[in-house]
Amino acid sequence: MSSVEEGDLVARVEGAAGIIRLNRPKAINAVTLEMFRDIEKALDRFEADPAVSVILLEGAGERGLCAGGDIRTLWESSKAGGDLGQILWREEYILNARIKKFPKPYVAFMDGIVMGGGVGLSAHASHRVVTDRTKLAMPEVGLGFFPDVGGTYLLSHSPGEIGTYFGLTGQTMNGPDAIHAKFADWVVPAVKLPELREALTKLRSGVTAADVSNLISGFATGEIAGPVAAKEPAIDALFGFDRMEDIFAALKRDGSDFALATLKTLNEKSPRGMVVTLKLLRLARTASSLEECLVREYRAALEVFRSDDFREGVRAAVIDKDRNPTWSPPRIEDVTPDMLAPYLAEIGKDELKFS
């Protein structure tokens, strides 16, 4: 067994597996710029090592794989007019794209809480394992942001309007719903993860993706749809619009308990964030690749980083925790095309590029 120092990221070889462990359990493994850089180094090493047949991403502690990015540090940089957003998101998004194309099987244990940046590290994997404890969400609209890290790509590939619903409401998926939404592949009971982990480390060299799939299937429950999937007909009818005003109107017209609860949830979100999110989700439907969506997300993220809504959303949720953000503008109907345009505009030499 070879290893590096056990800091915020642990990268080591155990048998046939290159282990990447997010190691900030007190912060539910929230990822920092240095951790992204360490993951890149680990992938370089594991890709070049013929003894490594499979990559395994896991989170330290009992609470979850990863609660997202280190949002407080981004907030501080945004307030100070810094450039952390530009640097961090560039490296993070390039890493997200690399994970999707990684040449060796990449297994993600999506146990417990999996949000934001944690989704970017796991949901683009070739083999995605959720559990009976999984709570997966893209809650960025509540921060004046949008589902990034390739979230618009993933959500746009969910069936019907399921992705639109999860992207705009930030609601949580359990394991089976994550499979239905195409964010995951298998539900494995959390108590079986240690046994599956050991089996992965004992794989022979030169193992194929199909071999890894067959191994995981032997531990899986076979569940493929959860409580939100059962609401898909209603979600399709209520969210099948290209303007937020029309979604709000449909929810008000419907008047069911589900529609009214959803309306209450949306009324708590950033109007600007919702409009940007819906536009990016609709554009993602015709995108040819994850990279195309990430380029678009990067343009929008830099605009978000400069915005009052992002700073206010993080303040209310993370800094002061009063859960009472003052959004600008405060209403959906006040978000104009001129406000939306900068989020979609090309950014010249600063465009996200993949080598």
Side-chain angles (χ1 to χ4, degrees), residues 65-120:
L65 171 66
C66 175
D70 186 4
I71 207 81
R72 181 184 289 266
T73 307
L74 282 165
W75 177 80
E76 289 168 352
S77 180
S78 176
K79 275 181 70 80
D83 60 359
L84 180 62
Q86 183 176 5
I87 296 166
L88 183 143
W89 288 320
R90 179 183 296 279
E91 296 188 31
E92 181 180 14
Y93 296 1
I94 288 169
L95 176 59
N96 299 149
R98 181 180 186 182
I99 289 168
K100 184 165 179 62
K101 291 188 170 181
F102 200 72
K104 296 180 180 182
Y106 181 121
V107 181
F109 279 3
M110 303 166 74
D111 186 33
I113 292 170
V114 187
M115 294 186 182
V119 173

Side-chain angles (χ1 to χ4, degrees), residues 25-352:
K26 290 180 181 174
I28 320 180
N29 303 315
V31 273
T32 64
L33 177 58
E34 285 307 314
M35 289 168 74
F36 290 132
R37 289 174 174 170
D38 286 342
I39 292 169
E40 279 280 7
K41 291 173 192 168
L43 291 178
D44 287 343
R45 180 173 145 226
F46 295 154
E47 186 173 348
D49 187 345
V52 173
S53 298
V54 61
I55 312 302
L56 173 60
L57 174 75
E58 61 185 12
E62 296 294 313
R63 295 160 73 193
L65 171 66
C66 175
D70 186 4
I71 207 81
R72 181 184 289 266
T73 307
L74 282 165
W75 177 80
E76 289 168 352
S77 180
S78 176
K79 275 181 70 80
D83 60 359
L84 180 62
Q86 183 176 5
I87 296 166
L88 183 143
W89 288 320
R90 179 183 296 279
E91 296 188 31
E92 181 180 14
Y93 296 1
I94 288 169
L95 176 59
N96 299 149
R98 181 180 186 182
I99 289 168
K100 184 165 179 62
K101 291 188 170 181
F102 200 72
K104 296 180 180 182
Y106 181 121
V107 181
F109 279 3
M110 303 166 74
D111 186 33
I113 292 170
V114 187
M115 294 186 182
V119 173
L121 294 174
S122 59
H124 301 301
S126 59
H127 296 73
R128 305 167 298 177
V129 177
V130 286
T131 74
D132 46 307
R133 302 190 304 197
T134 295
K135 293 185 172 76
L136 189 154
M138 298 294 284
E140 290 82 359
V141 176
L143 299 175
F145 201 19
F146 61 87
D148 67 329
V149 299
T152 62
Y153 176 85
L154 292 161
L155 292 163
S156 70
H157 284 77
S158 299
E161 299 296 338
I162 288 285
T164 313
Y165 169 78
F166 279 124
L168 291 171
T169 63
Q171 294 288 83
T172 301
M173 310 176 199
N174 68 1
D177 267 331
I179 291 176
H180 183 70
K182 300 189 177 178
F183 275 67
D185 305 299
W186 296 272
V187 177
V188 172
V191 295
K192 289 190 176 181
L193 285 185
E195 189 183 349
L196 172 56
R197 186 187 190 281
E198 184 178 3
L200 288 166
T201 67
K202 291 180 176 176
L203 286 167
R204 69 188 191 290
S205 62
V207 71
T208 66
D211 295 331
V212 177
S213 295
N214 290 336
L215 172 63
I216 298 171
S217 294
F219 290 83
T221 65
E223 296 168 274
I224 56 170
V228 176
K231 296 186 172 72
E232 192 173 324
I235 288 170
D236 286 353
L238 295 166
F239 284 84
F241 303 94
D242 296 338
R243 295 184 337 127
M244 280 308 307
E245 293 93 330
D246 295 332
I247 292 174
F248 270 79
L251 290 165
K252 287 173 184 171
R253 270 197 313 274
D254 183 274
S256 64
D257 288 347
F258 172 70
L260 293 177
T262 302
L263 198 59
K264 182 175 184 295
T265 297
L266 292 178
N267 275 319
E268 297 166 356
K269 309 301 181 190
S270 158
R272 190 187 304 232
M274 285 187 284
V275 171
V276 170
T277 294
L278 184 59
K279 182 65 176 178
L280 290 172
L281 289 176
R282 293 302 182 250
L283 289 169
R285 284 186 169 170
T286 58
S288 60
S289 65
L290 169 62
E291 284 91 340
E292 184 182 332
C293 291
L294 287 167
V295 167
R296 210 177 276 127
E297 289 178 12
Y298 189 65
R299 294 168 183 167
L302 296 191
E303 189 63 26
V304 166
F305 196 64
R306 291 187 283 265
S307 74
D308 291 336
D309 260 20
F310 173 67
R311 290 187 286 270
E312 175 63 7
V314 176
R315 180 207 62 75
V318 178
I319 309 301
D320 298 337
K321 298 183 180 177
D322 60 22
R323 305 285 171 186
N324 189 28
T326 301
W327 301 120
S328 174
R331 303 182 310 158
I332 282 289
E333 50 268 37
D334 296 331
V335 182
T336 66
D338 284 348
M339 288 179 192
L340 178 63
Y343 293 85
L344 307 173
E346 294 182 10
I347 52 176
K349 63 179 175 55
D350 291 328
E351 291 282 15
L352 187 65

